[in-house]
Amino acid sequence: MSKIGLFSVILLISGCIFDRTKYEEKLESFEIRNQDTLVYSLGYFGDEDGSGITKQASNYSFSFIESDSISSEYRFKYKTIDGYFGKDYVEIESNWGSDGTGGSPSLVLTTKITIIVKP
């Protein structure tokens, strides 16, 4: 085996051994009226943790994540465009457990939210 091939195998194996990140998925579904705002708590985060939208909704007037600097709570806020009725969908990735060294988080949660907009 060539040195490059052996080195590649060692990197692949060591990467699998040392990645202790736990990956989870959460499915949510909400019904709202067209004029309502959906506010969904993503939880509380430390200094190096956080959330981000990985798949943005399609029919939104606004769709964003805000954080409360006092409580460290992150909230997803969504309002559909005027006159839209039907389904919308958003995915949010949240990371917890960073040790401050720039390594992988201990938990990555993907929250998949289906929003049903009614008249």
Side-chain angles (χ1 to χ4, degrees):
M1 183 183 271
S2 72
K3 289 181 182 181
I4 294 175
L6 180 60
F7 182 71
S8 297
V9 169
I10 291 170
L11 277 178
L12 179 63
I13 292 171
S14 66
C16 293
I17 293 171
F18 295 113
D19 182 12
R20 300 189 191 281
T21 303
K22 182 178 178 182
Y23 296 90
E24 294 183 5
E25 187 174 282
K26 186 175 188 178
L27 304 175
E28 295 283 6
S29 181
F30 299 97
E31 286 187 12
I32 63 171
R33 296 202 179 276
N34 180 270
Q35 66 274 12
D36 293 342
T37 298
L38 172 65
V39 180
Y40 177 77
S41 176
L42 296 165
Y44 298 86
F45 293 82
D47 291 340
E48 296 183 15
D49 304 328
S51 287
I53 295 173
T54 55
K55 180 174 174 56
Q56 184 58 272
S58 300
N59 302 290
Y60 63 92
S61 173
F62 59 79
S63 174
F64 63 92
I65 295 171
E66 69 175 10
S67 62
D68 183 319
S69 61
I70 296 171
S71 70
S72 300
E73 180 185 19
Y74 278 51
R75 290 178 294 268
F76 168 68
K77 289 192 170 186
Y78 170 92
K79 184 174 184 343
T80 190
I81 55 177
D82 287 338
Y84 177 77
F85 306 105
K87 285 186 181 180
D88 214 345
Y89 177 81
V90 64
E91 286 186 13
I92 300 167
E93 185 175 286
S94 302
N95 299 286
W96 286 276
S98 174
D99 62 7
T101 63
S104 298
S106 60
L107 173 62
V108 175
L109 174 64
T110 301
T111 305
K112 298 179 176 185
I113 302 174
T114 299
I115 305 162
I116 301 164
V117 182
K118 299 207 169 220

